Amino acid sequence: MNTNTQTLSRLRNLGIIAHIDAGKTTLTERLLWKTGEIHRVGEVHDGNATTDFSAIERERGITIGAAAVHAQWAPRDLPLHQLTLIDTPGHIDFAIEVERSLRVLDGAVAVFSAVDGVQPQSETVWRQARRHGVPLIAFVNKMDRIGASFERVLEQLQDKLRARPWALGMPLGSEGDFHGWVDLVDGRVLHWQDGGAATVTDWSEAERAQWRPQRNALVEAIADHDDVLATAWLEGRDIDAAMLRAAIRRATLAGAGVPVLAGAAFKDKGIETLLDAVVDYLPSPLDRPAVTAESEGGDVLLPPDPDGPLAGLLFKITHQQHGALSFVRLYSGTLKVGDNVASSQHPQGRRISRLVRVQADQTQDIGQAVAGDIVAVLGWKDAVSGETLSGRGQPLRLESIQAQAPVLAWRLEPARAADLIRLAQGLASLAQEDPSFRVETDRETGETLAWGMGELHLEVMVERLRSEWKLDIGIGAPRVAYQETPQRAVEGVVGRLVKQTGGQGQFAHVVLDVVPRDDGEVVFNDRIVGGVVPRNFIAAVEKGVRAALSEGPQGHPVVGIEVSLVDGQTHAKDSSEMAFHRAGSEGIKAALAASGTQLLEPVMAVTVHSPSASVGDVVGDLNRRHGRVARIDDQDGRAEVSGFAPLAQLVGYTTSLRSLSQGRASSESHLHGYEPVRAS
């Protein structure tokens, strides 16, 4: 194994993902403390956690932006491994932070509350991780709380997430008596005291006999997905810890299942076993599939090689006291201070003036970074999230980061007209950091519209404008992001542009078919036969169609439509790409007028946690908001009401819910999809 390969094999890039209040930030703080990166533990409730460093995060007690930290850990007799951890937000309004973190990370720890189990945002981040093919470890936190149940969480992992959980041990004690862990892999018993001190003993003969059925069950479960272990098991060979650990690693990296551990982060219980598991079971950059990049000569496969062609993805931008920080994940090659690199967003390229390693809100200058590293470039004021950095001699483009379209807008107006320029600057800075935050001007009123993923998202953005940009801002009536979709199919609609009166003329003739789609996608098909429309004109027609679909007959983006170019005519002298762009635009407008469009509105999946006594009021209120209840789970005087409701009817819902329940109910929601607007 050469030096580069050996170094990469000891690197772990991982995220901490979970539903809000599952304990991600507390867990991250304990991981940093156990690894010696910090010498005093901060607490979320005290507002001094390392990764929740912004004033708003500390005031609200929630994570808003994903924060990167570094640590080192060595299980057993292994050498030190380098860990890069990203603590991500748990609230759905900040899902872009989770999305772009999982896009560049190699593995993740999914944290679940032992009391609350698999919650709505747990399902969302789990799906995000699975979509990116990120191997996972599950950590069942808060085992010391009243109502904690390790077994219930395992069942919910199977039932709600369709996961295959592999419990690597069994908790000792429950709730306030939770004090230990039976390690089924290494055959040990760990006893924890408050404060993190642990007593570790190997199994006695009696304990070995007691726990043999559980260990055998784990071995059989892994053997179902690992041929090496299955062969050894069937041959009756002794399955030692090293063999079982290697099999769990192979199966986890293949996505066959999820190792599960348990602990209580606030009481420092289970932290070391989780750190061991991160090294043992989560991938290094070498274990992940090589990424594919586009180049002029075709697709290029990029294994994580420091000597390979340079390729890095700029995945996050923040503005801190040091200036603008552009976070970059390097997939191939080496990036050095002083390098001039190509950028997929800036034809003139970029220069690396300062390269830093980030530790929450602190930075450390470094001279270079290599494939597998996550670092930041300091000082780029015009960086764009999702741009690719590559060598000037071989420009490349990596798959970008997809941000969900925002669904709710607030009208913003500064108290003083003199602050308009500063408001524009502040909004531009926030939009640069957050691709799910969008700013536009209402064409009818001239008012500034700030679009976000929900009320909390917009509240945080306005709060940042007030605190960081010292702006006094008024907020107008909210606006919901509606969409349109064609009501029926139409065929043979003509789009035509003819201007041939003297000089260079313009001529384009296209014939379009339109069909509604149920999946919300916008698809363009080229069905031209015999070359009656040249290829470059076909591309212009598609651009014209897509541009026109940004605003339908009712003034909203058109989705769920399949447009086919079936025929056309050209003129030897007067046809141009511009003419066919205009003809495509006019043709689709005529097609939508003929088909008619149906208005769609965003519908939210809503989960309400309420005292059982208030369930009737909660359900009645949802019904009045044109909502529908899908499920009610009632247990021990508390109920969870799950349902769906139009976003337009949920503005101000949190305040209303508190009033209905004397302040004892809470809710969370996320975008479920778009549905036809219901008549009032």
Side-chain angles (χ1 to χ4, degrees):
M1 185 181 291
N2 63 43
T3 304
N4 285 339
T5 302
Q6 190 176 62
T7 301
L8 282 172
S9 70
R10 297 175 187 169
L11 185 60
R12 300 289 184 271
N13 295 316
L14 66 140
I16 311 294
I17 61 175
H19 185 93
I20 192 169
D21 287 336
K24 298 180 308 303
T25 301
T26 299
L27 176 62
T28 303
E29 196 76 7
R30 266 54 183 189
L31 293 173
L32 291 174
W33 180 62
K34 282 290 184 183
T35 56
E37 292 299 320
I38 59 175
H39 303 290
R40 180 179 178 275
V41 176
E43 304 294 356
V44 175
H45 55 266
D46 290 336
N48 58 2
T50 304
T51 52
D52 283 355
F53 52 81
S54 76
I56 295 177
E57 288 176 318
R58 292 184 167 179
E59 180 181 333
R60 289 177 174 263
I62 61 172
T63 302
I64 291 170
V69 290
H70 298 269
Q72 294 182 320
W73 186 253
R76 300 174 304 280
D77 55 352
L78 295 179
L80 275 175
H81 283 62
Q82 306 296 321
L83 313 181
T84 299
L85 293 87
I86 295 186
D87 176 25
T88 65
H91 198 285
I92 189 64
D93 281 14
F94 309 104
I96 183 62
E97 294 289 328
V98 183
E99 178 69 22
R100 59 186 174 186
S101 297
L102 290 173
R103 168 68 177 80
V104 301
L105 292 171
D106 300 320
V109 175
V111 184
F112 300 91
S113 163
V115 178
D116 301 307
V118 175
Q119 297 171 276
Q121 180 65 355
S122 309
E123 299 181 51
T124 301
V125 298
W126 191 274
R127 286 195 303 271
Q128 287 175 293
R130 284 305 184 213
R131 188 173 67 253
H132 289 289
V134 174
L136 295 163
I137 291 174
F139 183 74
V140 182
N141 192 26
K142 302 187 179 183
M143 285 293 299
D144 58 328
R145 301 289 182 88
I146 295 174
S149 171
F150 184 66
E151 291 74 19
R152 185 173 64 243
V153 178
L154 291 177
E155 291 173 2
Q156 291 181 356
L157 287 172
Q158 288 180 298
D159 297 340
K160 291 188 176 183
L161 302 181
R162 301 292 185 265
R164 189 176 290 111
W166 295 323
L168 302 189
M170 305 295 293
L172 292 175
S174 61
E175 299 180 346
D177 188 41
F178 172 66
H179 65 278
W181 179 252
V182 176
D183 184 344
L184 297 175
V185 177
D186 285 287
R188 308 177 302 167
V189 178
L190 291 80
H191 293 281
W192 294 308
Q193 291 84 44
D194 289 348
T199 302
V200 183
T201 57
D202 293 332
W203 284 352
S204 64
E205 287 303 315
E207 289 171 329
R208 189 173 302 278
Q210 178 184 358
W211 297 110
R212 183 178 293 117
Q214 285 82 357
R215 189 177 196 272
N216 288 346
L218 175 63
V219 172
E220 287 187 40
I222 305 300
D224 283 342
H225 304 278
D226 186 80
D227 292 341
V228 176
L229 186 65
T231 300
W233 180 249
L234 292 172
E235 291 176 354
R237 283 188 271 156
D238 179 50
I239 308 298
D240 62 16
M243 182 184 294
L244 180 54
R245 196 179 296 115
I248 295 171
R249 178 176 182 80
R250 288 191 296 268
T252 302
L253 298 187
V258 180
V260 185
L261 300 102
F266 186 65
K267 297 289 182 64
D268 303 311
K269 297 178 179 181
I271 307 303
E272 287 158 321
T273 54
L274 177 59
L275 282 165
D276 288 350
V278 164
V279 171
D280 289 337
Y281 307 126
L282 289 184
S284 75
L286 294 172
D287 298 311
R288 300 288 286 147
V291 299
T292 301
E294 297 176 2
S295 73
E296 289 185 2
D299 288 350
V300 179
L301 207 59
L302 298 171
D305 181 3
D307 297 323
L310 177 65
L313 183 69
L314 195 163
F315 68 95
K316 177 179 169 68
I317 301 159
T318 64
H319 295 86
Q320 297 183 6
Q321 59 183 355
H322 318 280
L325 280 177
S326 302
F327 286 77
V328 177
R329 163 68 193 259
L330 276 181
Y331 288 97
S332 177
T334 299
L335 189 65
K336 298 179 181 178
V337 172
D339 282 352
N340 289 300
V341 299
S343 164
S344 61
Q345 296 290 333
H346 293 266
Q348 71 273 23
R350 295 188 179 282
R351 177 176 171 80
I352 310 298
S353 298
R354 284 185 65 187
L355 198 60
V356 299
R357 197 172 300 281
V358 180
Q359 189 79 347
D361 59 343
Q362 303 297 314
T363 60
Q364 175 189 356
D365 282 272
I366 56 176
Q368 69 173 38
V370 300
D373 281 341
I374 294 177
V375 294
V377 181
L378 194 60
W380 289 349
K381 295 181 180 179
D382 58 348
V384 179
S385 179
E387 68 177 277
T388 300
L389 308 179
S390 55
R392 283 188 175 274
Q394 188 178 4
L396 300 171
R397 182 184 291 270
L398 295 164
E399 180 186 353
S400 192
I401 299 167
Q402 301 302 315
Q404 196 175 49
V407 295
L408 184 68
W410 282 356
R411 302 173 188 271
L412 305 183
E413 184 178 358
R416 300 185 307 158
D419 288 338
L420 274 170
I421 293 177
R422 201 154 82 253
L423 173 62
Q425 292 171 336
L427 288 170
S429 174
L430 296 177
Q432 183 190 29
E433 291 185 11
D434 187 347
S436 65
F437 179 70
R438 196 181 79 226
V439 182
E440 66 180 36
T441 302
D442 189 312
R443 284 182 293 183
E444 296 179 1
T445 65
E447 293 175 300
T448 299
L449 296 176
W451 287 91
M453 300 307 299
E455 288 187 291
L456 178 60
H457 190 197
L458 292 171
E459 280 177 16
V460 167
M461 291 306 192
V462 170
E463 201 169 324
R464 288 188 61 184
L465 289 170
R466 287 169 174 163
S467 61
E468 297 171 20
W469 291 83
K470 311 304 179 187
L471 289 165
D472 185 6
I473 299 172
I475 300 171
R479 175 186 289 190
V480 171
Y482 292 97
Q483 296 178 347
E484 299 175 45
T485 193
Q487 289 185 315
R488 54 188 170 274
V490 294
E491 296 181 350
V493 179
V494 173
R496 186 173 173 85
L497 179 65
V498 180
K499 290 186 179 180
Q500 295 176 295
T501 54
Q504 178 67 44
Q506 295 186 55
F507 180 89
H509 179 100
V510 299
V511 182
L512 304 175
D513 290 349
V514 165
V515 178
R517 292 175 64 96
D518 294 331
D519 59 6
E521 295 294 319
V522 175
V523 176
F524 181 87
N525 297 319
D526 167 18
R527 293 185 181 164
I528 291 296
V529 178
V532 294
V533 178
R535 187 167 299 278
N536 60 318
F537 291 169
I538 294 173
V541 173
E542 179 177 359
K543 290 179 181 178
V545 165
R546 291 187 180 275
L549 291 176
S550 64
E551 184 175 327
Q554 301 184 62
H556 306 285
V558 180
V559 299
I561 184 172
E562 185 167 339
V563 183
S564 298
L565 175 61
V566 296
D567 200 0
Q569 296 177 21
T570 62
H571 187 277
K573 292 183 179 180
D574 295 338
S575 289
S576 65
E577 291 185 12
M578 182 183 298
F580 272 88
H581 185 286
R582 287 275 305 277
S585 176
E586 295 303 319
I588 195 63
K589 289 178 182 177
L592 291 173
S595 72
T597 60
Q598 185 174 46
L599 195 62
L600 305 175
E601 65 179 339
V603 172
M604 312 298 285
V606 183
T607 303
V608 179
H609 305 277
S610 166
S612 298
S614 301
V615 166
D617 291 334
V618 169
V619 170
D621 185 57
L622 274 177
N623 289 334
R624 284 190 294 274
R625 295 173 185 270
H626 297 174
R628 58 187 188 274
V629 174
R631 191 180 71 247
I632 300 176
D633 296 325
D634 200 335
Q635 186 177 359
D636 299 328
R638 294 288 297 179
E640 183 178 279
V641 180
S642 302
F644 308 93
L647 174 60
Q649 301 294 327
L650 291 176
V651 174
Y653 181 61
T654 301
T655 302
S656 174
L657 185 63
R658 291 194 188 112
S659 175
L660 284 174
S661 61
Q662 290 78 49
R664 299 175 62 196
S666 62
S667 71
E668 62 248 353
S669 62
H670 65 272
L671 182 64
H672 172 66
Y674 275 78
E675 296 179 4
V677 173
R678 289 177 53 182
S680 299

